[in-house]
Each structure stands twice: as structure tokens, then as C-alpha cells.
Amino acid sequence: LARQPVNPALRHSLGVSLSGCLMGITVAFSASTLDDLQNDYILREPGKTEQMSFSALAAAVAFVSGLMFGRFTVVIGKKRALMLSAIFYFVGYSVLSYSSTYVHVFTGRALTGLGLSLTCIALSPYIAEISPTQHRGKFSAIMQLQVQTGILIINLLGVLNIPFRWNASILLCHRHR
């Protein structure tokens, strides 16, 4: 029996849906890194404004920038918006992995928040556009599963006590399509 080639649209849809994993990682990143940030004297002791701000910064930036990026995504297109989000993630996690002050940490977190915003806005509609009709629901569900997988991955890295700089460095190796 000859193998049938995989439909390129299916491969592309699956690859793009994996970007949801990075969304989940970005959302959960602060939970496993606060202790390391305190140990490295980048953030102060628990309960301080810096820690609460670090935890909420990506979501806050994503919310505010989402108001602007909605129209921006329509203008440049969903595929380009996803490519731009990869740049924000890369630069943000680069800054986080080499941070030495809380200003660097906050800058990296804000940049990942911009990437999160673009991914949230563009990913689901893009998957729906490029997926073959009979597979649209499956790939939309896979994207949501990937978000949850990303949250699980970053929490497992936290349980294993992997330092936050390693977490950020690992994320730089993530292949974003």
C-alpha cells in the first residue's frame, strides 16, 4: 500500500495550533519563577507590589494592547500578526533570561504580554481560515488543549525547581510558526 501524502493545510494547521502552548506557558510563567526572582534579589520579599505587578503584567499588557491590536491584526493579516507575536516572545524571553534588575524582568514580561495579545487575537481565526473544513473543530480544540499543555509544562518546570533563567532560555528554543 502506498502512503498518501499528508495534506499541507493539515500540517500547517497543526503547527500553528501548537502556538497555543506558548500562550499557556506565558500565562503561567510567573507562578514558578517568583521564588527564583526573590533568591536572586531581583524582586523583594513576598507581598510586595513588585511581585504582584510581575504576576499580572503580561495579562494587563495583553488586555490593553488587545484593544489596539484587534484593528492592527485586520490591517496586517493574521499570519503576519502571529509572526510578529513570535518576535515579541523571543525578545521578551531573551530579556527575561538575561535579566539582572526588576526593570529588565518587567520589560521582558511586558514584551511577552504583547506576544500573548497578538496570539490570542490572531490564532483562533487563523486556524479556522487555514484548516480544511472537515477538521476546523478539531484544530480549534487542539489549540485550546495546547494552551493547557503549556500551563502544565511551566508548572512542572516549577515543581522540578528549575531556575527561571533556564525556563526563559528553554522558551527561546520553542519553535513558533
Side-chain angles (χ1 to χ4, degrees), residues 4-166:
Q4 293 182 345
V6 177
N7 183 344
L10 282 174
R11 275 188 306 184
H12 189 67
S13 299
L14 183 60
V16 169
S17 70
L18 293 175
S19 298
C21 187
L22 194 53
M23 286 172 54
I25 287 171
T26 301
V27 167
F29 183 76
S30 64
S32 63
T33 59
L34 286 174
D35 288 338
D36 285 333
L37 292 172
Q38 290 168 15
N39 293 339
D40 291 349
Y41 304 107
I42 295 173
L43 293 182
R44 297 184 189 141
E45 59 194 63
K48 297 295 181 180
T49 305
E50 288 175 359
Q51 287 187 340
M52 292 183 288
S53 299
F54 176 76
S55 296
L57 188 61
V61 169
F63 174 77
V64 173
S65 63
L67 300 173
M68 298 176 294
F69 281 156
R71 178 71 182 140
F72 180 72
T73 301
V74 170
V75 171
I76 68 167
K78 294 168 192 72
K79 184 176 183 178
R80 287 191 178 125
L82 289 171
M83 286 189 255
L84 182 60
S85 74
I87 293 169
F88 281 129
Y89 284 130
F90 180 79
V91 173
Y93 284 117
S94 295
V95 170
L96 280 168
S97 64
Y98 294 108
S99 62
S100 59
T101 66
Y102 72 92
V103 173
H104 295 134
V105 171
F106 279 51
T107 302
R109 191 75 170 137
L111 288 168
T112 59
L114 290 172
L116 179 65
S117 175
L118 277 171
T119 306
C120 287
I121 290 169
L123 187 59
S124 291
Y126 184 65
I127 290 172
E129 287 176 5
I130 65 170
S131 297
T133 310
Q134 66 272 24
H135 298 292
R136 282 191 186 142
K138 294 174 195 169
F139 285 116
S140 295
I142 288 173
M143 191 272 301
Q144 292 300 323
L145 178 65
Q146 291 300 325
V147 171
Q148 301 308 315
T149 302
I151 292 170
L152 177 65
I153 288 170
I154 203 68
N155 285 320
L156 286 175
L157 291 174
V159 168
L160 296 173
N161 291 323
I162 297 174
F164 88 97
R165 285 190 173 81
W166 282 102

